[in-house]
């Protein structure tokens, strides 16, 4: 499970006309969605300035952790191009950055809702962990992070990091019991 979020977006949104806000979000989605799809990921949902993505849940994969971390690194590497596009389109007053997280494990993939509206989604501890880790980027001062166990699994599935992540040992994450070793991208 991957979560992405534009850092500082809520504050920015309070000062921006709605049509400009939508244009900025649309440009972000145009940047990341092809990368996600190219790595076999599926957009579970758009969450305002965030995105929840699954790998291996709705489309079987023998390497979902590797696919997710490859996509994460590609997204991090592409943010400079998105920032340049945003600047060309008049969003030059702020530095836009993106945070991400990836967690791996079992999830429940189901259609939820009622007879008038059903939506496919994933639920479970892995989803909650990924969401909490994305928020934890702020505390760590990182762009993206993943549990060391997910990183190890991804490497076993063929992931070879192109960027230089760092290991942060024994980290307390709000809402998570115990401590985690995290692999972080800065």
């Amino acid at each position: 499970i991957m979560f992405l979020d534009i850092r500082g977006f809520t504050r920015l949104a309070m000062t921006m006309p709605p049509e400009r806000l939508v244009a900025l979000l649309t440009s972000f989605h145009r940047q990341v969605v092809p990368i996600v799809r190219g790595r076999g990921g599926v957009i579970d949902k758009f969450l305002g300035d965030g995105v929840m993505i699954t790998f291996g849940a709705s489309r079987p994969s023998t390497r979902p952790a590797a696919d997710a971390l490859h996509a994460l690194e590609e997204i991090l590497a592409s943010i400079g191009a998105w920032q340049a596009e945003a600047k060309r389109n008049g969003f030059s007053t702020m530095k836009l950055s993106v945070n991400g997280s990836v967690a791996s494990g079992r999830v429940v993939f189901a259609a939820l809702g009622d007879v008038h509206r059903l939506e496919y989604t994933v639920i479970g501890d892995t989803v909650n962990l990924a969401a909490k880790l994305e928020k934890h980027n702020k505390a760590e001062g990182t762009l993206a992070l993943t549990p060391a166990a997910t990183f190890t699994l991804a490497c076993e599935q063929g992931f070879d990091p192109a960027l230089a992540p760092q290991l942060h040992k024994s980290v307390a994450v709000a809402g998570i019991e115990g401590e985690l070793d995290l692999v972080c991208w800065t």
Side-chain angles (χ1 to χ4, degrees):
I1 305 300
M2 178 190 294
F3 276 87
L4 300 172
D5 189 68
I6 303 172
R7 183 178 286 169
F9 186 82
T10 302
R11 185 176 55 253
L12 173 66
M14 290 187 273
T15 65
M16 190 179 288
E19 60 277 0
R20 301 272 295 148
L21 193 63
V22 171
L24 180 61
L25 285 173
T26 301
S27 72
F28 174 61
H29 297 153
R30 266 195 319 269
Q31 187 72 31
V32 301
V33 169
I35 295 169
V36 167
R37 287 188 176 152
R39 288 294 179 173
V42 174
I43 304 295
D44 183 284
K45 62 184 58 61
F46 293 106
L47 305 159
D49 64 313
V51 185
M52 180 178 160
I53 304 155
T54 65
F55 293 83
S58 62
R59 290 185 187 151
S61 171
T62 59
R63 40 177 288 132
D67 292 338
L69 290 186
H70 275 298
L72 179 65
E73 282 200 336
E74 288 174 27
I75 289 165
L76 292 176
S78 77
I79 293 307
W82 176 65
Q83 291 167 332
E85 177 189 344
K87 188 172 184 175
R88 283 191 306 275
N89 290 321
F91 298 104
S92 59
T93 60
M94 66 273 164
K95 174 101 163 109
L96 301 170
S97 63
V98 175
N99 288 128
S101 66
V102 172
S104 61
R106 297 181 65 80
V107 297
V108 174
F109 173 69
L112 299 175
D114 71 2
V115 296
H116 300 287
R117 181 169 183 236
L118 287 175
E119 183 176 293
Y120 284 103
T121 192
V122 290
I123 55 176
D125 289 341
T126 301
V127 178
N128 294 334
L129 174 60
K132 287 176 170 79
L133 289 175
E134 185 281 312
K135 296 200 179 324
H136 189 71
N137 278 299
K138 189 172 186 176
E140 290 294 311
T142 54
L143 293 175
L145 44 80
T146 190
T150 296
F151 185 82
T152 299
L153 176 62
C155 291
E156 290 169 357
Q157 294 174 355
F159 175 66
D160 184 20
L163 305 176
Q166 304 163 359
L167 178 63
H168 293 194
K169 294 187 82 54
S170 303
V171 176
V173 176
I176 302 297
E177 194 173 312
E179 295 179 332
L180 294 171
D181 291 344
L182 299 176
V183 176
C184 305
W185 288 261
T186 54

